[in-house]
Amino acid sequence: MTAINALSDGFVLYDQHDRMVICNEPYKSLYAKSAYRMVPGTRFRDILQAGLDKGEYLDAIGREVDWLNERLADHSRNNSIVEQRLSNGRWLRIEERMTSDGGRVGLRVDITDLKNQQEKLHRMMLTDELTGLRNRRNLLNDLLAWGDSLPPQQGLAVYHLDVERFKQINSVYGYDIGDRLLRHIADTLRAAAGPHGLTARVGGNEFIVAKKIDIAAVDIVDFAETLCKWTSGPVSIDGQQIACCVSAGIAVLDPATCRDGDGSVLAAAEMALAEAKQLGRSVQLFQPTMQVRAVNDGDLTRDLQRAVECNEFEAFFQPQVDAIAQRCIGFEALLRWVHPERGILPAGAFLAIAQRAGLTETLDDLVLDRACRALTFLDSIGRSDLTVSVNLSANQVADTRLLSRLLATLRRHDVARHRIRLELLESTLLDERTSHYIANIEKLVQAGFVMELDDFGTGHAAIATLRKFKVSQIKIDRSFVQNVDHDPELQELTGAIISLAQRLGICILAEGVETAAEQACLVSMGCSRAQGWFYDKALPLSKLPDFLRIFEASV
């Protein structure tokens, strides 16, 4: 008996009539509520009943008769292994084997720690660790269950929310503050969804709220706007007021028309969110046309990846001229996709898709390479006086490798740095990464590159900030040029830009000049540099000699 009591696991022996012969102290301690019945000669069934009467078996509560029959059936088998959960929270593994004389020997192993570990792992698989909300997998399972149980008059509204520029919050305030902000947003959304709603975190800074609604409900968008407002407001964390901007996409699952077996309602809400962000809105409701566009974009993305491999991109060059001297001063390199079925596509038709596909760096390098080839070609026809402007994407300007990549390309083509003019969009001045931009641009200027600012007048940046970026030339946006010859108010605005630039010693070039009258008006205001269809559209490299010959022959 001493040896049996020394066992860490519970031990019990029953005879061929299922009466207890012996058990050790660990066995009794595991079943504390029924231990008083554990004496030699007591039937196994009577010990179980004592435990049932005391509520010892958690799984048996509310179904005592069925539970008792199931447990006796397991016990009667020659060999059995079952798991049992007690009302005190402990888990046991029961192993029982028949003896040679028809009796039964049993072990009770405490597996509580193992079960807790398994439960924790299961919870981690289905729950977001930071916020405690569901994760995407758990959400999809719940949405499927909801979709199958909704009556015809009810639907499911899914709101996909995105905390915009969250990386900036992490950069400025630190990751701990960012995490606490996410937990605050999670708590806010959980409260807004209520006890009958679903809330999940499905990305670093993206959340889902789902609610059952009446199909005829008209306040779907209002609720989304409320969510955005509540989660965007300033939050006090460690004495700092942290504010953010939140956008939302909405999709509705109508069980009368579809079942969401593949989670398409989540995809629809994500498409609506993308549309909201692209249009600069806080909220957007999904429309079927978005699905069509998404399919087209998907096809274009696959074509785009193939096009990179097959070298289907070319740079076209739009002339830049001095209208008074009637001479060409350079060209702007513009990327074109020579699509085998759709023809020549401008950059606006594919750049957004290229960015989502992670191909912008490849295309940026391609444009720079083509610009250098163009300068080498112009040298070969005796026009080493001309420059080529290249647009820098926001990602390029933020890239710490930008200078080394530029220099490597120029060395490969033996092109002088001052002949590549680098264009920034005015919106760059307002980007969250401006401090990184300034450092990179200063390096470029010190290395001998010429900086220009494109689309000036559209980004609402102060012209004085041009000095910070060491810009040599600004390009007045087409919206300030079109019809300037007969619009007095436009003449005032455009004239003011030209005058301020002149005072700062910055050159001015007008974009989108289409008529002789527009050009004459701009010249009268002090802007003689121009580009636009009045002179020519963007041309393939082979056409540049013809343009130069014809245009400058009129001098």
Side-chain angles (χ1 to χ4, degrees):
M1 186 66 186
T2 302
I4 293 174
N5 280 327
L7 293 174
S8 59
D9 299 325
F11 174 85
V12 65
L13 177 64
Y14 290 90
D15 64 18
Q16 64 269 36
H17 301 295
D18 216 16
R19 292 173 301 197
M20 178 177 281
V21 177
I22 193 173
C23 71
N24 65 1
E25 288 304 318
Y27 185 88
K28 290 182 179 180
S29 66
L30 290 172
Y31 295 106
K33 292 182 179 181
S34 56
Y36 71 97
R37 293 288 284 145
M38 296 176 185
V39 294
T42 306
R43 294 187 308 162
F44 176 68
R45 182 189 185 102
D46 294 336
I47 296 174
L48 281 182
Q49 190 62 57
L52 282 172
D53 294 341
K54 297 286 187 178
E56 189 157 42
Y57 311 111
L58 184 64
D59 295 339
I61 296 175
R63 54 183 301 269
E64 285 80 358
V65 174
D66 290 340
W67 184 90
L68 180 61
N69 291 331
E70 292 168 5
R71 180 70 190 92
L72 289 172
D74 289 332
H75 180 71
S76 67
R77 297 202 302 270
N78 289 344
N79 300 299
S80 67
I81 298 178
V82 296
E83 291 182 354
Q84 186 179 80
R85 192 175 186 184
L86 304 180
S87 56
N88 62 5
R90 309 303 295 178
W91 278 91
L92 304 179
R93 184 172 73 247
I94 300 172
E95 299 183 15
E96 295 180 326
R97 296 180 182 277
M98 187 174 287
T99 61
S100 58
D101 61 356
R104 193 167 304 277
V105 64
L107 286 177
R108 303 296 188 268
V109 182
D110 190 329
I111 58 170
T112 305
D113 291 343
L114 176 63
K115 297 296 287 188
N116 288 341
Q117 212 171 27
Q118 290 175 343
E119 185 179 349
K120 182 180 179 181
L121 289 173
H122 181 71
R123 189 167 57 248
M124 288 173 63
M125 286 177 60
L126 300 177
T127 306
D128 173 59
E129 185 176 2
L130 177 67
T131 63
L133 299 180
R134 292 168 173 81
N135 61 17
R136 183 180 288 273
R137 178 187 297 178
N138 195 5
L139 174 70
L140 183 55
N141 292 337
D142 288 339
L143 289 181
L144 290 175
W146 268 17
D148 289 338
S149 64
L150 288 173
Q153 71 274 15
Q154 270 199 330
L156 186 63
V158 175
Y159 303 85
H160 191 146
L161 297 101
D162 175 79
V163 183
E164 298 182 20
R165 297 191 173 185
F166 185 71
K167 288 183 179 179
Q168 182 185 18
I169 293 173
N170 278 335
S171 298
V172 174
Y173 299 102
Y175 286 93
D176 179 61
I177 295 290
D179 286 349
R180 291 163 68 181
L181 176 63
L182 290 176
R183 283 195 288 267
H184 168 79
I185 291 173
D187 292 341
T188 302
L189 294 177
R190 188 188 287 113
H196 304 297
L198 297 179
T199 317
R201 182 183 178 210
V202 294
N205 53 313
E206 296 184 32
F207 298 85
I208 295 285
V209 173
K211 287 176 67 72
K212 296 177 182 178
I213 60 166
D214 292 330
I215 289 299
V218 295
D219 60 346
I220 299 173
V221 174
D222 292 341
F223 181 68
E225 291 175 342
T226 299
L227 292 178
C228 292
K229 180 180 178 181
W230 286 355
T231 51
S232 297
V235 182
S236 180
I237 302 178
D238 288 350
Q240 301 183 85
Q241 295 296 312
I242 314 297
C244 56
C245 181
V246 178
S247 300
I250 316 165
V252 177
L253 172 66
D254 183 349
T257 58
C258 87
R259 295 286 176 181
D260 195 43
D262 59 354
S264 57
V265 69
L266 291 175
E270 190 170 9
M271 287 181 215
L273 172 64
E275 186 88 356
K277 293 169 70 174
Q278 184 175 349
L279 298 176
R281 298 175 181 172
S282 61
V283 171
Q284 177 66 51
L285 182 64
F286 175 77
Q287 302 295 335
T289 53
M290 296 178 191
Q291 178 70 45
V292 176
R293 189 160 57 249
V295 171
N296 290 336
D297 284 356
D299 292 341
L300 205 56
T301 299
R302 287 188 291 274
D303 286 352
L304 197 61
Q305 291 168 334
R306 176 193 51 77
V308 170
E309 296 172 1
C310 297
N311 196 26
E312 292 177 359
F313 294 95
E314 284 297 335
F316 279 47
F317 301 88
Q318 186 166 36
Q320 298 174 332
V321 306
D322 184 322
I324 295 177
Q326 280 293 293
R327 67 181 181 87
C328 181
I329 57 176
F331 298 90
E332 179 181 1
L334 300 170
L335 190 62
R336 297 290 184 262
W337 179 3
V338 186
H339 195 285
E341 296 173 0
R342 306 188 189 192
I344 297 177
L345 301 179
F350 59 85
L351 278 186
I353 298 171
Q355 186 172 13
R356 292 194 290 272
L359 295 173
T360 51
E361 183 173 314
T362 299
L363 297 183
D364 289 337
D365 289 343
L366 189 149
V367 173
L368 181 62
D369 181 81
R370 298 297 189 274
C372 289
R373 289 187 189 182
L375 287 168
T376 302
F377 174 75
L378 291 171
D379 286 348
S380 70
I381 62 172
R383 295 306 303 266
S384 56
D385 59 309
L386 299 176
T387 61
V388 174
S389 299
V390 175
N391 289 283
L392 292 181
S393 67
N395 287 337
Q396 275 182 294
V397 184
D399 186 357
T400 56
R401 302 168 299 151
L402 177 59
L403 178 57
S404 60
R405 288 169 58 193
L406 287 171
L407 292 176
T409 304
L410 266 60
R411 280 195 298 268
R412 190 167 64 249
H413 292 277
D414 193 23
V415 170
R417 301 173 192 184
H418 71 277
R419 296 187 62 199
I420 288 286
R421 304 175 74 91
L422 304 175
E423 293 189 8
L424 308 168
L425 288 174
E426 187 189 359
S427 55
T428 300
L429 301 178
L430 307 177
D431 193 279
E432 63 192 51
R433 297 168 290 184
T434 298
S435 59
H436 300 297
Y437 289 170
I438 295 174
N440 265 359
I441 291 168
E442 285 178 348
K443 291 179 183 177
L444 293 173
V445 173
Q446 290 170 4
F449 288 97
V450 179
M451 308 303 300
E452 301 180 348
L453 197 62
D454 197 9
D455 293 342
F456 190 82
T458 61
H460 313 295
I463 197 169
T465 59
L466 299 177
R467 304 306 300 171
K468 179 173 61 178
F469 281 81
K470 296 182 173 61
V471 170
S472 298
Q473 177 172 274
I474 62 173
K475 299 175 75 172
I476 302 174
D477 186 69
R478 182 175 181 273
S479 60
F480 290 89
V481 172
Q482 189 176 27
N483 301 321
V484 69
D485 53 302
H486 57 263
D487 186 331
E489 183 176 342
L490 201 56
Q491 290 173 17
E492 289 290 331
L493 289 171
T494 305
I497 293 173
I498 294 170
S499 177
L500 285 171
Q502 288 174 334
R503 292 181 184 179
L504 290 172
I506 299 173
C507 295
I508 317 104
L509 183 145
E511 291 186 291
V513 177
E514 295 186 357
T515 68
E518 289 172 353
Q519 183 63 88
C521 183
L522 289 164
V523 169
S524 70
M525 289 188 288
C527 177
S528 63
R529 296 187 174 194
Q531 71 180 78
W533 287 6
F534 177 61
Y535 297 101
D536 218 326
K537 299 179 181 180
L539 303 166
L541 185 61
S542 61
K543 298 292 184 182
L544 299 192
D546 290 341
F547 169 80
L548 292 169
R549 185 179 65 257
I550 295 171
F551 176 70
E552 295 182 347
S554 59
V555 177

